[in-house]
Amino acid sequence: YTIVVKLTLLLECSAREGGDRTEKQDTGAQKSTEGQQQELADALSVTRQTIISLENGRYNASLTLAHKAARFFGITIEELFIFEDGENL
């Protein structure tokens, strides 16, 4: 399967829509990709390297991790991942 969007991009979009960012955060420099990856890794109880590997398609998430990620973003697993026809799941 393939991740629909980079998880860190989804995290950035979620933060913007959440409305919990201060004006200073909105006008200042955004978090680095590294910081976003670490924030997501911490929330999902995995390493930053796991997030990087997921985003680059080098790691297949367990069902538990896929479920945690989907719940974190408030979407379904099917919305977060694309399952290709004929793929050996």
Side-chain angles (χ1 to χ4, degrees):
Y1 57 87
T2 315
I3 294 181
V4 176
V5 295
K6 284 198 173 259
L7 296 173
T8 51
L9 178 61
L10 194 55
L11 178 62
E12 184 178 316
C13 292
S14 296
R16 286 184 191 166
E17 292 172 4
D20 58 354
R21 295 169 56 99
T22 65
E23 186 176 317
K24 184 176 180 181
Q25 287 173 313
D26 287 334
T27 59
Q30 292 191 0
K31 280 187 180 180
S32 68
T33 299
E34 185 177 309
Q36 292 172 335
Q37 290 167 337
Q38 188 61 56
E39 181 180 348
L40 182 58
D42 291 345
L44 300 180
S45 300
V46 297
T47 65
R48 184 172 155 262
Q49 186 59 45
T50 298
I51 300 302
I52 293 168
S53 295
L54 281 168
E55 291 180 329
N56 293 327
R58 293 189 313 258
Y59 177 75
N60 290 331
S62 67
L63 182 56
T64 301
L65 180 55
H67 184 259
K68 282 182 182 181
R71 289 198 60 190
F72 178 83
F73 291 114
I75 59 177
T76 66
I77 292 173
E78 292 82 6
E79 290 172 309
L80 185 58
F81 298 95
I82 297 173
F83 295 92
E84 302 292 334
D85 288 337
E87 213 171 330
N88 188 9
L89 302 176

